[in-house]
Amino acid sequence: MKIAEPPRTPEQRKADLLVRLEREIDIWVATADAEGMPCLVPLWFVWHDEAVWLCTRLTNPTGRNLRDGSQARLAFGDTRDVVLVDGDVETFTCAEVPPAAAEAFRAKTGWDPREDHASYAFFQVRPRAMQAWCEAHELPRRHLMRGGSWAV
């Protein structure tokens, strides 16, 4: 396979990344437990108030890892249009979640976990690093956010 397109500018990559955060519904969520055992699952998400909001049960490995480890790596599924997000996690029970975040999640996914089982919790992933690239020629300057601040 040949690379036919010129590399995107960092500004275009950021714009494309923000479009994906609004458009996509599923995101890969990578966590680890206290012993370092990795866990990788796809979850529904919403981009709201400069953070990724996820929801899963606190009774499963991903929920426990998000709560206890307080960090996650997120990624979209396409290997030719990579987006990686490293972030710090804050956990909210369904009673504690900010109503605007829960409503944004419901509006995007059509599901309101607050009306489901009590073991569900919301997880706010506040990005501290973001990378985006298509193919090897975009690897240079792939870091769009570092230390929680946009580099572009």
Side-chain angles (χ1 to χ4, degrees):
M1 173 176 233
K2 287 185 175 182
I3 299 171
E5 298 294 321
R8 296 171 296 169
T9 65
E11 293 78 14
Q12 185 59 54
R13 291 183 211 185
K14 178 182 176 183
D16 292 347
L17 179 152
L18 291 172
V19 166
R20 286 190 81 180
L21 286 167
E22 292 294 333
R23 182 189 70 219
E24 304 276 345
I25 194 167
D26 300 310
I27 198 162
W28 286 101
V29 179
T31 61
D33 66 16
E35 287 77 44
M37 177 64 72
C39 184
L40 178 65
V41 298
L43 292 177
W44 284 348
F45 81 98
V46 66
W47 176 248
H48 172 75
D49 194 24
E50 298 294 311
V52 173
W53 287 84
L54 312 164
C55 187
T56 193
R57 292 178 188 252
L58 282 169
T59 54
N60 68 34
T62 299
R64 288 190 304 270
N65 294 348
L66 288 165
R67 178 195 63 207
D68 299 343
S70 299
Q71 57 185 341
R73 172 168 273 186
L74 311 175
F76 291 113
D78 189 345
T79 60
R80 302 238 178 242
D81 188 4
V82 178
V83 171
L84 295 178
V85 178
D86 294 317
D88 299 315
V89 178
E90 187 173 350
T91 303
F92 297 86
T93 66
C94 286
E96 299 167 332
V97 65
E103 281 303 310
F105 189 89
R106 184 201 55 74
K108 184 174 185 182
T109 67
W111 173 52
D112 190 342
R114 298 170 297 177
E115 297 173 358
D116 210 316
H117 196 273
S119 64
Y120 281 104
F122 285 85
F123 303 90
Q124 178 192 44
V125 182
R126 184 74 61 193
R128 69 178 177 298
M130 290 190 179
Q131 301 175 57
W133 72 91
C134 290
E135 307 292 346
H137 70 307
E138 284 194 358
L139 284 171
R141 300 177 68 200
R142 69 185 173 273
H143 296 276
L144 304 178
M145 176 185 280
R146 290 186 179 181
S149 296
W150 290 104
V152 294

